[in-house]
């Protein structure tokens, strides 16, 4: 699993980090991005909904989300 810590990062930094991770990820690998900004969550959800990647997210504590992207 590739883990990207984006705590404190605002857009577009998390999106750029995620795109870089997707480029380097191998098949059947999962990327976990951690953010504490709801706008980052919404922007990444919008981007991933237009892609072929499977993703899900969880609010692990109030105001902190983990976004999981599965590379097929």
């Amino acid at each position: 699993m590739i883990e990207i810590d984006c705590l404190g990062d605002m857009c577009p930094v998390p999106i750029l980090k995620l795109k870089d991770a997707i480029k380097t990820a191998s098949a059947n690998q999962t990327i976990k991005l951690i953010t504490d900004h709801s706008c980052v969550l919404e922007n990444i959800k919008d981007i991933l909904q237009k892609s072929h990647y499977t993703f899900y997210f969880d609010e692990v504590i109030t105001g902190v989300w983990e976004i999981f992207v599965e590379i097929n």
Side-chain angles (χ1 to χ4, degrees), residues 17-57:
K17 288 181 179 180
L18 179 60
K19 286 182 178 182
D20 285 344
I22 287 172
K23 288 178 189 174
T24 61
S26 12
N28 300 318
Q29 195 165 26
T30 301
I31 300 168
K32 177 171 81 171
L33 186 141
I34 305 164
T35 184
D36 55 354
H37 292 284
S38 61
C39 60
V40 170
L41 173 66
E42 293 305 316
N43 289 335
I44 288 178
K45 281 175 26 183
D46 289 344
I47 290 168
L48 292 174
Q49 286 173 341
K50 298 173 186 173
S51 73
H52 63 278
Y53 299 111
T54 302
F55 72 96
Y56 55 96
F57 59 92

